[in-house]
Amino acid sequence: MQTLWSFLKKHFRIIVELNIKGKMNKNSILLKKIIEIIKLENNPIEKLNSISKDIENKFILKDINNNFINEFDFSFESLIDNKNVITPEILSDIEELSLSLENNRYETGSYYTNKVLINYIFEEVDYLFNKTIIDPAAGTGNFLIYFILKIIDKFKTKDEFLKYYSQYIYYNELKYHSIEVYIKRINYIMINKFNTELNQYDLNIIKNNCFNKDFLLDFNEKLTFDIIIGNPPYLGTKSLGKEYLKKLNNIFGFTDDLYSLFTHKCIDLLNGNGYFSFVTSNTYFTLKTKLKMREKMVNNGLYKIINNNRNHFNIMSNTSIFCINKNNKNKEIEIYQENDDYSLSFINNLNKQTLSENEFRIPISKNNIEIENMFL
């Protein structure tokens, strides 16, 4: 089982993730205990599924007490979402762990985003309520669940929330099983907040706004959005295959890495005063091949970039968060660096006029040491 344990340590960072104060939250501690159990199993996936069902049943029954899963020797105080208690997000964490065991996620270009980065993104929006929002590559819904938890206190009943959901909240994901996990997470929120589960009618309301489509090829809904957020796939063109690249070229008129094409399409779906933010590779300001992406972003209100701490993802490339508002008329783009303690340090400004005059072509050269230092 040493191979399994090495795989988990390398590919599933969340099991040892620390909160900002440096202490492990109880979800993380429980995950660590779960991993200690499954790494001793001949069939770790089967054991993990059994544990997941047991935890799920406890949440649904609201049987949160000191006798919960004796083998963990763990107590549960409530379902309140803070660092001191076990929360329903544990089910999504376990699902992601299961996916890591079943399939090397790096083959799909899929990386899961933690609360620290999600919080940076939502801090840019002054008012979240009554705004249409979508995550076009939502996975198990981390971004949208965070958003729902931000606004849930505005509703007195489940029906009030579902009416709002039907008008404003949208989800898209290519993997159908991830949609099921996302809906379960919403169900846990309903149990905690309104002491009632989703019935079939409620589920239909949620599902009507959940699209199971290839966002780049098949998402043709007549919708535009006030907020677009997410962490799109990072796959490069070499991984996509000739037939798929041909289809993309027919739609976009060119081909590029998936996160670049997601960015192009999302900007087109963004309302006039809309806010758009992705976690992506940060190569879009240093590679010649990302000229079209740079031009699209800068001309549509790019105003901030945060270079992320490398500890968030166990991958070779650096990642960043970019923030776009179509109405933003700032002449400069603010560049920040995330520190080891998750604080942000201001680095410098990039002048949009300079970028435009250079036709957005920014290969690394002696004239661009400033950009090289920012992004490499």
Side-chain angles (χ1 to χ4, degrees), residues 132-136 166 169-173 207-225 228 251 265-266 268-271:
T132 52
I133 184 171
I134 188 171
D135 185 339
S166 68
I169 302 176
Y170 296 87
Y171 165 109
N172 185 76
E173 170 56 41
K207 289 177 180 179
N208 282 342
N209 285 16
C210 290
F211 302 106
N212 180 211
K213 296 185 177 183
D214 184 317
F215 182 75
L216 297 178
L217 299 183
D218 304 321
F219 190 90
N220 300 312
E221 310 300 319
K222 295 180 179 180
L223 295 167
T224 56
F225 303 94
I228 302 177
I251 293 174
K265 185 159 186 173
C266 287
D268 290 340
L269 295 179
L270 194 63
N271 288 331

Side-chain angles (χ1 to χ4, degrees), residues 262-278:
F262 266 79
T263 299
H264 275 80
K265 185 159 186 173
C266 287
I267 288 176
D268 290 340
L269 295 179
L270 194 63
N271 288 331
N273 193 32
Y275 170 70
F276 169 36
S277 184
F278 269 169

Side-chain angles (χ1 to χ4, degrees), residues 325-340:
N325 186 307
K326 280 193 172 180
N327 278 0
N328 189 291
K329 304 303 181 184
N330 291 354
K331 295 181 180 181
E332 294 184 322
I333 304 163
E334 296 179 345
I335 311 296
Y336 291 83
Q337 178 64 48
E338 182 187 16
N339 303 311
D340 289 340

Side-chain angles (χ1 to χ4, degrees), residues 88-222:
E89 286 184 305
I90 188 69
L91 272 300
S92 182
D93 296 339
I94 292 174
E95 171 65 16
E96 292 166 7
L97 174 56
S98 179
L99 291 173
S100 293
L101 292 174
E102 293 174 358
N103 178 35
N104 187 336
R105 71 175 53 170
Y106 293 89
E107 295 176 358
T108 68
S110 177
Y111 307 97
Y112 295 96
T113 317
N114 67 28
K115 285 184 179 180
V116 174
L117 299 185
I118 295 173
N119 187 57
Y120 291 148
I121 286 175
F122 279 107
E123 281 182 340
E124 296 295 314
V125 186
D126 293 330
Y127 190 71
L128 296 173
F129 203 61
N130 288 342
K131 292 183 178 180
T132 52
I133 184 171
I134 188 171
D135 185 339
T140 55
N142 284 358
F143 286 87
L144 292 177
I145 292 297
Y146 186 96
F147 173 81
I148 290 170
L149 291 172
K150 281 278 191 180
I151 66 170
I152 194 66
D153 288 340
K154 292 184 177 290
F155 306 100
K156 295 181 180 180
T157 67
K158 176 188 69 173
D159 291 340
E160 283 184 9
F161 168 76
L162 292 174
K163 181 179 179 180
Y164 179 92
Y165 189 101
S166 68
Q167 294 177 285
Y168 293 103
I169 302 176
Y170 296 87
Y171 165 109
N172 185 76
E173 170 56 41
L174 190 58
K175 299 186 286 294
Y176 184 79
H177 187 57
S178 293
I179 301 176
E180 295 178 328
V181 176
Y182 168 66
I183 293 174
K184 283 183 180 180
R185 297 177 74 181
I186 294 177
N187 191 37
Y188 302 140
I189 294 173
M190 297 301 99
I191 293 169
N192 180 47
K193 178 64 179 177
F194 305 116
N195 201 34
T196 181
E197 289 191 66
L198 298 172
N199 58 37
Q200 190 57 53
Y201 178 80
D202 303 333
L203 290 171
N204 290 338
I205 292 175
I206 300 293
K207 289 177 180 179
N208 282 342
N209 285 16
C210 290
F211 302 106
N212 180 211
K213 296 185 177 183
D214 184 317
F215 182 75
L216 297 178
L217 299 183
D218 304 321
F219 190 90
N220 300 312
E221 310 300 319
K222 295 180 179 180

